[in-house]
Amino acid sequence: MKRIDALRAIHDDLADCAVVTIMGAVAAELQSLGHRPNHFYLQHAMGLASSLGLGIALSRPDLDVVVIDGDGSLLMNLGGLTTLARYQPSNLVHIVFDNESLLSVGGFPTATSTGSDLAGIAAAAGVPRTGTVRSVEDFAGAFRAARAARMLSTIVAKVDAVGPSAFVTDLGLLENRYQFARHLRRPSA
Amino acid sequence: MPVSLTASSTIYAALKASGVRVVSALPETWLVHLIRMAEDDPEMTLVRLAKEEEGVGISAGAHLAGVRSAMLMQNHGFLASVNGIVSCAQLYRIPLLMLISARGEFGERDPWQTEGGLVTRHVLDALRIPVDELGHASEVAHKVAQAQTLAYSASRPVALLLTRDLMWEEA
Ligand SMILES: Cc1ncc(C[n+]2csc(CCOP(=O)(O)OP(=O)(O)O)c2C)c(N)n1
């Protein structure tokens, strides 16, 4: 499965969520499908997208938070998985696009390419719903089921190590940050 | 345990008064009372971390969602958080109130704390993080409020060092 096809399959569903992505390729892909003010692309700080999503989820139980993580990024903050599992926010779905590589910086293989199992790690950390999916259909189904379950879920989607040729978009980092914060704080959000 | 309960209560009250509703923490001796206070307070969300750097993400998320937060950690936790501070809180202009216990200063008996004591202020300065010390209970409320004000007006991290004179009562 290609990550961009997986993103396309849930792009409509994301419209009413607070979406936090990691940097680089996936941020550019989501923007290419259509940026919205409820998307925040954490363009650095590897590992912290899941922690940032947890901060939103705990601060605003009324929001549905979707974190779009990567294997390399999650491997940098495995302890954060135990924190997610400890608080188990029912309003957070944690997607990990596992392309078994650091695609955004040359495509070098991560430890998932030699067998480390992120869904297994998440389950062992205490995340109550975990699973690995390998097709766009299964991914979209797992995402919708996770939202409906209202229970913290980590969905590991195995994807091809392919992405856009460039990652810089015309959306400024601070523009994105202030737009997102304003969006979350609007009275009806 | 000779960690000052009075000083801890004063600091906790100051955090509450400055609007803090989310506290992320990784324990160390000087912070035990503060963490218990956060834990026992139904108005406070306490996030227990596995590593301090996560707290930068928690605070950034809380801020973007409109909630004030603070991080409680020792100086080695601050050192463990540096990349998150630079590439999340500073890059994205997040007001971040960090309360850092200043271990390894004069009076420190634990040999393992002493290197951290030597470098903490230098690292804060290198990161251009405004820093002040909480040295006496009488200045706590004022300095916490001032720190929070600057964090918000500058949209940046600020640090308050919790000193031995404030936190530790010699038995
Ligand atoms: C602390 C740190 N080290 C290294 C980098 C460089 N870097 C940027 S993106 C990236 C790879 C991210 O990998 P992954 O999360 O798997 O996402 P992918 O690029 O594969 O989509 C790396 C290593 C960084 N941003 N921060």
Side-chain angles (χ1 to χ4, degrees):
Chain A
M1 130 172 73
K2 287 201 173 52
R3 181 170 56 194
I4 190 146
D5 295 328
L7 284 170
R8 189 178 289 113
I10 63 164
H11 189 253
D12 287 347
D13 302 71
L14 297 179
D16 60 350
C17 301
V19 182
V20 178
T21 79
I22 61 161
M23 69 191 305
V26 71
E29 282 174 348
L30 185 56
Q31 285 179 61
S32 75
L33 293 169
H35 170 66
R36 300 189 188 101
N38 59 311
H39 298 178
F40 179 65
Y41 315 98
L42 183 61
Q43 292 287 13
H44 216 31
M46 261 185 91
L48 289 191
S50 53
S51 305
L52 196 147
L54 178 61
I56 297 173
L58 293 176
S59 300
R60 290 284 303 275
D62 58 305
L63 295 174
D64 278 6
V65 180
V66 177
V67 172
I68 300 181
D69 218 335
D71 49 307
S73 298
L74 181 55
L75 286 166
M76 224 185 252
N77 188 13
L78 287 178
L81 263 184
T82 68
T83 308
L84 268 183
R86 188 169 201 168
Y87 294 97
Q88 300 206 3
S90 60
N91 57 333
L92 195 151
V93 177
H94 181 211
I95 296 168
V96 185
F97 284 119
D98 181 2
N99 53 19
E100 303 186 354
S101 92
L102 303 170
L103 182 73
S104 303
V105 287
F108 296 99
T110 67
T112 64
S113 73
T114 50
S116 296
D117 167 11
L118 290 173
I121 291 172
V127 175
R129 297 181 81 260
T130 60
T132 301
V133 293
R134 293 166 195 283
S135 71
V136 172
E137 233 173 41
D138 288 351
F139 170 71
F143 176 72
R144 285 171 196 141
R147 276 194 82 187
R150 306 221 62 78
M151 191 185 283
L152 174 67
S153 309
T154 296
I155 302 167
V156 177
K158 287 285 191 181
V159 292
D160 303 342
V162 292
S165 49
F167 309 139
V168 176
T169 70
D170 66 356
L171 181 66
L173 273 59
L174 290 178
E175 180 185 9
N176 179 219
R177 169 248 189 271
Y178 283 107
Q179 183 185 53
F180 180 72
R182 213 173 284 286
H183 181 81
L184 294 193
R185 294 175 202 184
R186 78 196 193 285
S188 58
Chain B
M1 181 181 302
V3 181
S4 171
L5 189 56
T6 325
S8 302
S9 305
T10 309
I11 296 166
Y12 192 75
L15 287 174
K16 286 285 296 267
S18 77
V20 169
R21 292 297 175 270
V22 171
V23 161
S24 64
L26 199 133
E28 76 120 4
T29 318
W30 292 9
L31 302 174
V32 289
H33 297 312
L34 275 166
I35 292 172
R36 295 230 166 87
M37 288 167 198
E39 182 178 48
D40 292 343
D41 181 353
E43 286 177 359
M44 192 66 81
T45 300
L46 170 67
V47 184
R48 297 172 188 279
L49 308 168
K51 182 179 176 179
E52 290 87 348
E53 188 184 15
E54 294 170 52
V56 180
I58 300 288
S59 280
H63 175 69
L64 295 174
V67 173
R68 290 190 179 213
S69 69
M71 287 176 74
L72 295 179
M73 59 200 164
Q74 67 159 270
N75 40 359
H76 290 270
F78 161 69
L79 295 173
S81 306
V82 166
N83 184 53
I85 291 168
V86 174
S87 55
C88 179
Q90 294 188 329
L91 186 63
Y92 280 101
R93 303 300 294 265
I94 304 294
L96 176 66
L97 178 60
M98 299 186 286
L99 268 60
I100 302 170
S101 54
R103 302 300 307 268
E105 300 279 347
F106 283 1
E108 179 67 59
R109 292 200 180 103
D110 294 343
W112 47 88
Q113 301 285 5
T114 56
E115 285 298 313
L118 287 174
V119 302
T120 300
R121 276 183 172 274
H122 295 287
V123 177
L124 284 163
D125 287 347
L127 299 176
R128 297 178 302 137
I129 295 175
V131 55
D132 204 346
E133 277 187 0
L134 299 182
H136 194 271
S138 62
E139 63 187 12
V140 165
H142 182 63
K143 284 194 174 178
V144 169
Q146 302 274 54
Q148 186 72 283
T149 301
L150 181 63
Y152 269 79
S153 60
S155 270
R156 288 185 134 269
V158 301
L160 286 170
L161 295 175
L162 310 181
T163 62
R164 174 174 301 272
D165 285 347
L166 177 70
M167 301 306 292
W168 196 254
E169 290 167 351
E170 292 299 341

